Amino acid sequence: MESLIGLLVAAPLLGAAVLLCGGRRLDRTGHWLGTGLAFTSFVLGLVLFADMLGKDGEERALHSHLFTWIPVEGFQADAAFQLDQLSMTFVLLITGVGSLIHVYSVGYMEHDERRRRFFGYLNLFLAAMLLLVLADNFLLLYVGWEGVGLASYLLIGFWQHKPSAATAAKKAFIVNRVGDVGLSIAIMLMFVTFGTFAFEPVMNSVGETGEGKLTAIGLMLLLAACGKSAQVPLQSWLGDAMEGPTPVSALIHAATMVTAGVYLIVRSGAIFDAAPDAQLVVTIVGAVTLLFGAIVGCAKDDIKKALAGSTMSQIGYMILAAGLGPIGYAFAIMHLVTHGFFKAGLFLGAGSVMHGMNDEVDMRKYGGLRKYMPVTFVTFGLGYLAIIGFPGLSGFFSKDLIIEAAFAKGGTQGWILGGAALLGAALTAYYMTRVMLMTFFGEKRWEADAKGDMPHPHESPKTMTIPMIVLAIGSVGAGAFFDIGERFVHWLEPVTGFEHGHLPDGLSVPMVTGATVACMVLGVAAAWLQYGRRPVPAAAPRGSLLTRAARRDLLQDDFNHVALVKPGEYLTRGLVYLDHKLVDGIVNGTAAAFGGLSARMRRVQNGYARSYAVSMFGGAVVLIAATLLMRAV
């Protein structure tokens, strides 16, 4: 079975190589080749999963050593894979949801002349993401980490003829590079501290290391996670990344890439458990981001950007849970998986709406679409119910467990984190109900596009609706399936560990669940009062100061411009001034001095014998005078 692990990565990597290098002869069939190889990885993952289920929990991990990558004295890096319960969860999510999105893309990208290249990029992304979660050491993980960043850049900017798409791709790439610096520093610190960067020896040596070093490593890992998972303060790229084709948003910015930061923290759990200060910062980042993303999502009229704010917020829940240690690791991954179902389904549903509305993304120009797109309405609606935590659906189980774990943190921290999670639940219900009402209910508000064409809403082809139906099924049942008998927790326990949290005095599980449901109802009711009982205006009203700020992503770009761009400009101008005035001044001044001296010395060498005679006579007079003076003294 160990030999199959490498094939998981090899299949989509082969697809990427063939599709990107095969030329136009593959234009007609390349998309099916890419889809077939994605499904091949999924089938291999199922075979390995079935084999893993047949073993005891402690014996399920598989290791596959491919070759010695860097054989240097005192520094050895192996290309080796580790497949355990945690990485298997990601393998099935990446390949399963990824394969469905490949099928969806067949219909969505049908008329794009560069469809073959698009599927090549999708395969490249799958290969890089699988390498990231299967690596058995941080250095090989870093290779997959960078590969994911490259594929994301290529896919976000796929329609590079649009300046907004090209700019968004560069922005995502640069912001992610900031986080990647954190990961590279963390790996260097690991090697200096532990003499290795392989998972097992690093985690086993944590108890012998000082807390200060572990805190530094943990904070650098968190910086990396913030970049990939769009968490505060590196969250600014995610909304702009919606410029990519909608399947990209579903695959990268909902189900897989943005969850890489959660994987990194959970995989490094032993480091964070031994560094409580770093762990506290993780929970703070998660709590702040879940509220930040939810507030932004409440004010967006662009359907994809509203879902992007939602993604930021839901990843915040996962980061918060991961920062709670053994009482939250499994819940973070559980919410990650359920989120993969309903958020990918929501993005694909948004793409289906755009497909029927001439690529219009402004929800103020939708309305009443449930009559024209019944399959999209039902599947999107189930994803909506799942994400707001409607009782019985997947999001209800995973989010409720995170809220309980937050309160179980205890003390003032527990009440603050739990309160933030509850407020996030209310905001989630509000902005997602807003999306549903503006898109599928009310009177139609369609307008002709820039070309003068009036939209004619219609249901999407089966290649698009079938993946949406499958994801909707997961949105409905995944949470209950995982929660029964705590099977998902027990599945991950050999890797992540697990501790039952204890709610503070005065709180019980039914009370927390009731509060969560109450917050959900309040959010739905508030959105219904604002958008369900009155017509949606064609233009967004001015709104409050907070609303205006939320429309501008809570001024995150303005802050970055003032805090980072402007100081950088001033620093650059100062360096240019110093270069011109000081460095160039010294160089040019030295050159001018020697040039002037040379010009004056050239006057002595004029070629006239009489001048040389006078010079010789003058020199002789000086020597005689000096000699006489010396004797007199």
Side-chain angles (χ1 to χ4, degrees):
M1 285 295 173
E2 289 82 354
S3 60
L4 295 181
I5 302 176
L7 295 178
L8 285 169
V9 181
L13 188 61
L14 174 64
V18 172
L19 292 174
L20 296 176
C21 301
R24 294 191 175 277
R25 70 191 75 179
L26 293 173
D27 283 353
R28 293 186 178 181
T29 59
H31 50 285
W32 291 118
L33 174 64
T35 303
L37 289 171
F39 269 105
T40 298
S41 273
F42 178 58
V43 171
L44 290 171
L46 289 176
V47 171
L48 289 165
F49 177 62
D51 177 71
M52 189 175 284
L53 288 177
K55 301 176 181 178
D56 294 332
E58 302 295 336
E59 300 176 355
R60 285 173 171 170
L62 296 176
H63 296 269
S64 175
H65 182 275
L66 301 182
F67 55 89
T68 299
W69 178 18
I70 306 176
V72 179
E73 184 177 357
F75 182 95
Q76 181 163 332
D78 294 329
F81 294 142
Q82 172 180 305
L83 183 66
D84 55 21
Q85 291 91 323
L86 178 60
S87 50
M88 174 56 76
T89 301
F90 276 83
V91 165
L92 294 179
L93 177 68
I94 294 164
T95 58
V97 175
S99 297
L100 292 173
I101 291 171
H102 273 70
V103 174
Y104 179 94
S105 301
V106 171
Y108 190 87
M109 303 294 289
E110 181 178 4
H111 302 295
D112 196 296
E113 61 182 12
R114 298 168 65 237
R115 180 167 63 168
R116 168 184 56 82
R117 180 174 297 183
F118 180 78
F119 277 82
Y121 292 160
L122 286 183
N123 273 199
L124 177 63
F125 175 82
L126 285 188
M129 193 69 198
L130 287 169
L131 178 62
L132 190 159
V133 300
L134 287 171
D136 86 330
N137 62 80
F138 285 96
L139 191 62
L140 188 61
L141 178 149
Y142 186 78
V143 176
W145 192 272
E146 291 300 310
V148 166
L150 170 63
S152 172
Y153 167 78
L154 294 172
L155 287 166
I156 294 171
F158 183 74
W159 289 326
Q160 69 265 31
H161 60 276
K162 297 165 55 179
S164 56
T167 301
K170 288 186 288 186
K171 183 177 182 180
F173 191 82
I174 292 170
V175 174
N176 272 269
R177 295 292 72 73
V178 176
D180 295 350
V181 169
L183 181 55
S184 64
I185 293 174
I187 294 173
M188 295 178 204
L189 290 174
M190 286 178 196
F191 185 77
V192 171
T193 304
F194 306 111
T196 181
F197 30 69
F199 293 151
E200 189 171 347
V202 167
M203 302 309 160
N204 291 339
S205 303
V206 163
E208 305 168 4
T209 308
E211 185 178 318
K213 292 181 179 179
L214 295 175
T215 299
I217 294 173
L219 291 176
M220 290 299 100
L221 291 173
L222 174 60
L223 179 63
C226 287
K228 275 289 183 289
S229 296
Q231 300 292 284
V232 172
L234 300 179
Q235 79 287 357
S236 62
W237 65 271
L238 187 59
D240 297 75
M242 298 301 107
E243 290 292 337
T246 299
V248 175
S249 303
L251 178 62
I252 294 180
H253 310 121
T256 53
M257 173 179 145
V258 290
T259 63
V262 183
Y263 171 81
L264 181 65
I265 293 175
V266 174
R267 175 62 76 185
S268 311
I271 294 174
F272 287 95
D273 291 340
D277 290 339
Q279 201 170 55
L280 175 61
V281 177
V282 173
T283 60
I284 292 172
V285 167
V288 170
T289 307
L290 76 87
L291 294 177
F292 187 103
I295 293 171
V296 168
C298 290
K300 292 295 185 181
D301 292 332
D302 183 317
I303 187 171
K304 288 177 66 177
K305 290 193 175 183
L307 294 177
S310 171
T311 298
M312 192 188 305
S313 178
Q314 298 304 308
I315 300 295
Y317 272 104
M318 301 172 206
I319 295 292
L320 169 61
L324 297 174
I327 66 173
Y329 289 141
F331 301 152
I333 303 301
M334 180 177 174
H335 193 55
L336 185 152
V337 175
T338 59
H339 177 265
F341 282 111
F342 56 69
K343 184 52 66 63
L346 288 169
F347 267 113
L348 295 188
S352 180
V353 170
M354 293 166 57
H355 183 268
M357 292 293 291
N358 294 349
D359 290 327
E360 179 61 64
V361 295
D362 188 349
M363 293 185 292
R364 295 187 180 275
K365 298 178 182 178
Y366 291 165
L369 293 180
R370 69 185 189 280
K371 302 175 184 178
Y372 304 90
M373 310 178 74
V375 176
T376 300
F377 168 64
V378 172
T379 55
F380 193 97
L382 291 173
Y384 152 73
L385 292 174
I387 193 174
I388 68 172
F390 190 84
L393 274 70
S394 60
F396 167 77
F397 293 97
S398 57
K399 190 185 297 183
D400 188 66
L401 290 172
I402 292 176
I403 296 173
E404 290 176 17
F407 278 110
K409 178 72 173 177
T412 304
Q413 289 183 26
W415 285 101
I416 293 175
L417 296 175
L422 281 177
L423 179 57
L427 292 173
T428 300
Y430 173 83
Y431 67 70
M432 284 308 306
T433 303
R434 176 178 180 269
V435 170
M436 280 294 296
L437 294 174
M438 293 180 71
T439 302
F440 295 102
F441 292 88
E443 299 297 325
K444 61 182 183 180
R445 303 180 297 277
W446 314 331
E447 297 179 359
D449 59 19
K451 299 179 181 178
D453 297 329
M454 182 64 71
H456 298 284
H458 57 277
E459 192 56 87
S460 299
K462 290 184 178 180
T463 52
M464 295 172 65
T465 56
I466 289 176
M468 290 158 56
I469 293 171
V470 175
L471 291 170
I473 293 173
S475 300
V476 172
F481 177 77
F482 292 155
D483 191 57
I484 294 174
E486 295 185 329
R487 60 168 50 132
F488 192 79
V489 169
H490 294 316
W491 162 258
L492 289 178
E493 189 172 2
V495 181
T496 63
F498 180 67
E499 295 178 6
H500 282 283
H502 300 286
L503 292 173
D505 294 339
L507 274 185
S508 64
V509 172
M511 290 175 63
V512 175
T513 301
T516 304
V517 174
C519 288
M520 180 266 293
V521 172
L522 287 174
V524 172
W528 171 256
L529 290 174
Q530 188 171 359
Y531 295 95
R533 297 185 59 186
R534 63 186 70 174
V536 176
R542 179 175 175 79
S544 65
L545 180 62
L546 178 60
T547 300
R548 297 197 299 273
R551 288 179 187 144
R552 296 178 60 183
D553 300 321
L554 292 180
L555 308 180
Q556 59 184 0
D557 286 332
D558 301 81
F559 174 80
N560 289 341
H561 187 75
V562 171
L564 301 176
V565 176
K566 278 297 183 183
E569 289 180 355
Y570 292 139
L571 176 62
T572 302
R573 291 172 185 172
L575 293 175
V576 169
Y577 180 83
L578 289 176
D579 182 59
H580 286 171
K581 299 299 182 181
L582 182 61
V583 178
D584 287 354
I586 293 174
V587 173
N588 295 335
T590 303
F594 278 96
L597 180 61
S598 300
R600 286 164 177 75
M601 292 181 67
R602 282 199 299 270
R603 295 175 184 176
V604 178
Q605 304 292 331
N606 55 19
Y608 294 110
R610 59 181 180 270
S611 297
Y612 297 157
V614 171
S615 298
M616 292 171 66
F617 176 76
V621 170
V622 170
L623 287 175
I624 292 170
T627 301
L628 293 175
L629 180 63
M630 291 291 291
R631 287 183 176 180
V633 174

